[in-house]
C-alpha cells in the first residue's frame, strides 16, 4: 500500500495483516466488490470523513464508476488516530454471503422457477457439459433456478452484464446481441449464479478430497496442498481396452487412477511392464523430462482417471517431484540417477 506522501507505519509495501498481496487473484477482487462502501466503519463517525481520501491505489476503491460524494472526500480528521492511520483503506467489506448451501446456518434459498418436462428436456440438451451444473445429478434440480424469458436485442449491454462483471471483476465487459429476431434465454440471477459457482467448487473438492487422501504419492502433502490439486483435477472415464496414453506422443497430462485397472506396455514387448490400480499414478515422465511418452497405458477394465494438466502438474506437484523421480522403470532414466552420487560410480 503506497501513495503520494504516504508512509506506512508497517514499512514500505507491507501489509499489517500478514500478506503483502491483497490485491491479487479474482476471488479477492470479487470479495471486495461493493459499489457504495465509502464508509470504512459504520460505527465510527469520523471514519465517514477519512473514507476514500487521498489514495487511488488498489485499496482506495476509487474506481471511475464509484459514486463521488463530495462530502466524504474532505481531509481526514486525525483526532484519535495515529497520523495517516488507515486512510483510504476499507476496513469492512460487505457482499452477498458465499457460503455453500449445505451450511445449516445459512438461510439463503434459491428462487425456484418450475418447468415443464419439455422445457427441462431442452435445457438439459442445451446445457449438457456445462461445468456449473455438472455436480448436480438430478436434471430437475440442476435447472430449477433458471428463469425463462424471451427478449429482443440487446441481451446484455455494457454496464448491465452483472453476472459477468461480478464473477470476473470486469465492469460491463461486453454487449451481447441476439442474432435472431426472437431469442429465448434462460437466466440465473446474480446471487444464484455465484452460489452455484461456489457450490460446484466445493462439490468438486469434496469429491476428490477422500480419494486424494488415499493416493500414496500425495500422502506427504498438507490438506491445503491436496485441496489445490483437487481444484485442478478433471475426471475422465474410459471403457476397457482404451489407450489412455500412447508411447511416442507428446505429454500434456498427468493421471491418477480413481477406479478400475490399467497396464503399461512398451513397444516390442507384449507383456505389460506395469499394472495400475486405484490410487496409482502414471504419465509423469513426459512432463518431468519434457520427453515423448515412454510407454503406452491401456485400461484393462472400465476406468476412471483424474487428469491434471501440465501447468497444474508443474505448479502443484513440486513437493512430490523427488518421489516421482525415484520411481524405477525398466530401461528409463528418470533424472535422479545424475544427481545420486551412489549411482554415479
Ligand atoms: N517401463 C516403463 N517405462 C516407461 N514408462 C512407464 C513404464 N512403466 C510405466 N510407465 C508409465 O507410462 C507412462 C507413459 O507416459 P510418460 O512417459 O509420461 O510416463 C510413463 C510412466 O508413468
Amino acid at each position: 500500500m503506497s501513495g503520494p506522501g504516504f508512509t506506512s507505519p508497517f514499512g514500505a509495501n507491507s501489509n499489517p495483516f500478514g500478506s503483502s498481496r491483497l490485491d491479487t487473484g479474482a476471488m479477492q477482487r470479487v470479495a471486495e466488490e461493493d459499489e457504495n462502501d465509502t464508509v470504512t466503519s459504520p460505527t465510527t463517525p469520523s471514519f465517514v470523513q477519512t473514507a476514500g481520501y487521498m489514495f487511488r491505489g488498489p485499496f482506495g476503491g476509487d474506481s471511475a464508476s464509484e459514486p463521488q460524494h463530495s462530502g466524504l472526500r474532505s481531509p481526514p480528521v486525525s483526532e484519535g488516530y495515529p497520523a495517516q492511520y488507515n486512510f483510504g483503506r476499507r476496513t469492512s467489506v460487505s457482499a452477498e454471503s458465499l457460503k455453500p448451501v449445505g451450511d445449516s446456518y445459512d438461510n439463503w434459498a434459491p428462487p425456484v422457477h418450475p418447468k415443464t418436462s419439455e422445457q427441462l428436456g431442452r435445457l438439459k440438451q442445451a446445457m449438457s457439459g456445462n461445468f456449473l451444473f455438472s455436480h448436480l445429478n438430478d436434471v430437475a434440480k440442476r435447472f430449477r433456478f433458471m428463469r425463462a424469458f424471451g427478449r429482443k436485442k440487446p441481451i446484455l449491454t455494457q454496464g448491465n452484464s452483472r453476472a459477468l462483471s461480478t464473477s470476473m471483476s470486469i465492469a460491463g465487459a461486453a454487449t451481447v446481441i441476439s442474432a435472431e429476431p426472437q431469442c429465448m434465454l434462460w437466466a440465473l440471477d446474480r446471487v444464484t449464479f455465484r452460489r452455484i459457482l461456489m457450490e460446484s467448487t466445493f462439490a468438486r473438492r469434496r469429491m476428490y478430497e477422500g480419494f486424494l487422501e488415499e493416493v500414496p504419492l500425495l500422502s506427504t502433502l498438507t490438506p491445503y496442498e491436496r485441496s489445490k490439486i483437487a481444484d485442478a483435477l478433471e475426471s475422465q472415464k474410459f471403457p476397457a481396452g482404451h489407450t489412455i496414453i500412447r508411447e511416442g506422443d507428446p505429454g500434456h497430462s498427468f493421471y491418477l487412477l480413481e477406479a478400475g485397472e490399467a497396464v503399461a506396455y512398451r513397444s516390442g514387448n507384449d507383456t505389460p511392464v506395469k499394472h495400475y490400480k486405484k490410487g496409482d499414478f502414471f504419465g509423469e515422465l513426459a512432463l518431468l523430462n519434457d520427453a515423448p511418452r515412454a510407454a503406452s497405458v491401456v485400461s484393462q477394465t472400465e476406468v476412471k482417471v483424474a487428469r491434471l494438466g501440465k501447468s497444474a502438474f508443474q505448479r502443484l506437484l513440486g513437493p512430490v517431484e523427488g518421489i516421482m523421480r525415484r520411481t524405477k522403470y525398466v530401461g528409463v532414466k528418470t533424472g535422479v540417477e545424475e544427481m545420486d552420487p551412489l549411482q554415479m560410480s
Side-chain angles (χ1 to χ4, degrees):
M1 176 166 151
S2 66
F6 175 73
T7 310
S8 165
F10 304 98
N13 298 321
S14 70
N15 167 21
F17 304 106
S19 164
S20 61
R21 302 192 49 181
L22 278 179
D23 61 333
T24 58
M27 292 304 287
Q28 183 67 39
R29 289 171 194 279
V30 169
E32 290 212 354
E33 187 218 11
D34 190 359
E35 287 102 358
N36 299 311
D37 60 341
T38 45
V39 179
T40 52
S41 167
T43 55
T44 312
S46 57
F47 267 62
V48 171
Q49 290 164 301
T50 61
Y53 172 74
M54 215 166 151
F55 304 111
R56 288 167 187 258
F59 310 112
D62 205 5
S63 72
S65 61
E66 200 161 325
Q68 303 288 311
H69 304 294
S70 56
L72 299 178
R73 302 242 163 213
S74 53
V77 176
S78 61
E79 187 187 329
Y81 300 99
Q84 301 192 351
Y85 171 77
N86 211 23
F87 294 157
R89 179 174 184 130
R90 296 173 180 182
T91 55
S92 69
V93 172
S94 66
E96 296 96 346
S97 166
L98 283 177
K99 287 184 291 180
V101 291
D103 188 328
S104 54
Y105 296 105
D106 182 3
N107 54 16
W108 178 82
V112 174
H113 305 282
K115 295 183 184 57
T116 64
S117 53
E118 188 267 331
Q119 284 177 317
L120 275 176
R122 273 191 291 130
L123 258 175
K124 189 182 174 192
Q125 205 181 6
M127 305 297 285
S128 63
N130 186 303
F131 78 99
L132 266 184
F133 304 101
S134 57
H135 67 289
L136 298 170
N137 293 325
D138 178 349
V139 174
K141 231 183 194 176
R142 280 188 203 192
F143 303 120
R144 68 191 161 153
F145 318 129
M146 299 193 100
R147 190 165 58 90
F149 61 96
R151 195 152 188 192
K152 289 180 185 163
K153 58 187 181 179
I155 299 165
L156 296 175
T157 53
Q158 284 180 343
N160 81 353
S161 54
R162 292 293 295 140
L164 188 66
S165 63
T166 300
S167 67
M168 301 178 77
S169 288
I170 300 168
T175 299
V176 181
I177 307 248
S178 59
E180 293 171 4
Q182 273 293 357
C183 183
M184 173 64 97
L185 298 178
W186 293 99
L188 269 182
D189 68 86
R190 184 166 67 112
V191 175
T192 309
F193 170 79
R194 290 175 64 168
R195 298 293 294 242
I196 291 180
L197 196 63
M198 190 156 216
E199 271 299 296
S200 69
T201 307
F202 272 83
R204 165 199 283 275
R205 260 196 207 159
R206 272 197 300 268
M207 189 175 84
Y208 285 120
E209 242 165 26
F211 167 63
L212 293 185
E213 269 173 27
E214 290 171 22
V215 173
L217 173 70
L218 309 178
S219 63
T220 55
L221 298 184
T222 64
Y224 176 74
E225 286 170 324
R226 279 197 291 268
S227 75
K228 302 299 284 179
I229 295 171
D231 288 349
L233 287 174
E234 186 189 296
S235 283
Q236 284 181 318
K237 281 184 181 171
F238 297 112
H242 182 86
T243 301
I244 304 166
I245 286 179
R246 192 176 301 279
E247 186 175 338
D249 280 358
H252 302 295
S253 306
F254 166 81
Y255 297 88
L256 295 166
L257 191 56
E258 276 189 82
E261 289 175 34
V263 284
Y265 293 98
R266 295 204 76 193
S267 55
N269 193 346
D270 287 345
T271 323
V273 287
K274 204 161 176 74
H275 286 81
Y276 296 107
K277 56 180 185 346
K278 182 180 176 187
D280 289 341
F281 68 90
F282 52 85
E284 80 291 7
L285 288 182
L287 306 189
L288 286 174
N289 302 332
D290 212 5
R293 295 296 196 188
S296 294
V297 178
V298 180
S299 53
Q300 261 196 324
T301 63
E302 189 183 50
V303 296
K304 190 175 175 197
V305 294
R307 195 180 69 84
L308 197 61
K310 187 174 182 175
S311 60
F313 173 86
Q314 290 167 336
R315 191 162 32 91
L316 302 169
L317 290 190
V320 294
E321 180 181 345
I323 300 174
M324 288 190 285
R325 285 198 184 278
R326 279 194 288 277
T327 306
K328 296 262 189 297
Y329 296 114
V330 183
V332 176
K333 283 194 168 191
T334 57
V336 82
E337 297 86 351
E338 290 77 17
M339 300 184 296
D340 187 347
L342 294 175
Q343 303 236 352
M344 286 177 76
S345 56

